[in-house]
Amino acid sequence: MTVTDGIAESANTPLETRPLGRTGADVSVVGLGTWQLGGDWGNVSEDDAAAVLDAALDAGVTLLDTADVYGDGRSEERIRQALAPRSERPFVATKAGRRADPFEAAGYTPE
């Protein structure tokens, strides 16, 4: 069994999309959370991480969720590597600042 078993059958069925909040971006209703790709839950090989991302993108997922603390940036790097050779650009939602010291919400402004 591989990480992509069962994906090929669903790849021909487009995923439903809807607007993401006030961004105006239409994204797939199924997204991919990528905490596991950071390796915080155990080692995930480069090949397995690439296979998961490729399978999701090939299946029509257009919303990827990540954060700077997922493997200390490893998840974000793996997403970058997966997207580099592709023409499509999914919506990548990331969180930042969790490692700020001291963590003070007032320090984060639109500027």
Side-chain angles (χ1 to χ4, degrees):
M1 179 176 221
T2 68
V3 296
T4 59
D5 283 350
I7 297 295
E9 298 84 39
S10 65
N12 294 326
T13 305
L15 292 177
E16 179 184 345
T17 63
R18 63 178 62 139
L20 178 64
R22 293 179 288 181
T23 68
D26 277 334
V27 299
S28 55
V29 296
V30 176
L32 177 66
T34 61
W35 187 358
Q36 74 282 8
L37 301 183
D40 294 328
W41 288 76
N43 187 44
V44 176
S45 73
E46 295 294 326
D47 289 342
D48 284 347
V52 166
L53 287 161
D54 285 340
L57 295 166
D58 290 346
V61 171
T62 60
L63 175 62
L64 305 176
D65 175 75
T66 188
D68 62 346
V69 295
Y70 296 179
D72 200 24
R74 180 188 258 179
S75 173
E76 292 172 319
E77 177 62 23
R78 287 176 163 176
I79 291 170
R80 184 199 64 79
Q81 290 169 348
L83 295 180
R86 292 176 167 266
S87 60
E88 71 266 26
R89 290 293 177 247
F91 194 98
V92 178
T94 190
K95 286 80 69 188
R98 296 290 308 270
R99 294 196 188 273
D101 187 22
F103 179 77
E104 295 176 1
Y108 296 92
T109 66
E111 292 79 34

